[in-house]
Amino acid sequence: QVQLVESGGGLVQAGGSLRLSCAASGSIFSNIAMGWYRRPPGKQRELVATITSIGSTGYADSVKGRFTISRDNAKNTMYLQMNSLKPEDTGVYYCNGLSPTDRGRFGSWGQGTQVTVSS
């Protein structure tokens, strides 16, 4: 199974920026549509941004215009550039495949990376 490792989170003031990274081991990454998910405190995990294997992107309304998802298939890495951060962006951020089948290829979810935005 392929492992996913998220990094780049931290504590930032409202209006600040962070860049998250998702590193995937193995060779399947480049063929899989991926997503960034987040779990706000006390809430369910939600999908915030998506990217297909060829780079088409999509965003939740709550982050549109502020977050940018990208990927480097040669490096088996995906990114999430987060600008104009708001306190409601606080949560643990995860990367994984979009479909249940693709998520199964990665096995379990990674540990995620904590993002905390202070007001």
Side-chain angles (χ1 to χ4, degrees):
Q1 288 178 332
V2 180
Q3 289 188 318
L4 296 165
V5 179
E6 302 92 348
S7 63
L11 173 63
V12 63
Q13 288 188 331
S17 298
L18 286 172
R19 189 192 194 206
L20 307 185
S21 296
C22 166
S25 62
S27 60
I28 65 171
F29 175 81
S30 62
N31 297 317
I32 292 179
M34 296 290 294
W36 279 102
Y37 302 77
R38 70 183 177 196
R39 187 192 298 274
K43 297 183 179 181
Q44 300 277 5
R45 184 156 37 207
E46 60 187 9
L47 181 64
V48 296
T50 65
I51 188 165
T52 68
S53 59
I54 59 171
S56 297
T57 60
Y59 300 93
D61 288 343
S62 59
V63 307
K64 200 171 295 183
R66 300 186 298 119
F67 289 12
T68 303
I69 188 172
S70 61
R71 67 192 297 165
D72 185 338
N73 288 336
K75 296 182 178 180
N76 285 349
T77 303
M78 180 174 69
Y79 306 97
L80 186 67
Q81 178 67 44
M82 306 187 296
N83 298 327
S84 303
L85 282 161
K86 303 176 180 180
E88 51 263 42
D89 294 318
T90 293
V92 181
Y93 283 69
Y94 304 86
C95 60
N96 214 322
L98 287 187
S99 72
T101 298
D102 285 337
R103 288 196 292 275
R105 294 183 182 186
F106 290 117
S108 60
W109 290 82
Q111 292 188 335
T113 186
Q114 175 71 47
V115 171
T116 303
V117 184
S118 63
S119 56

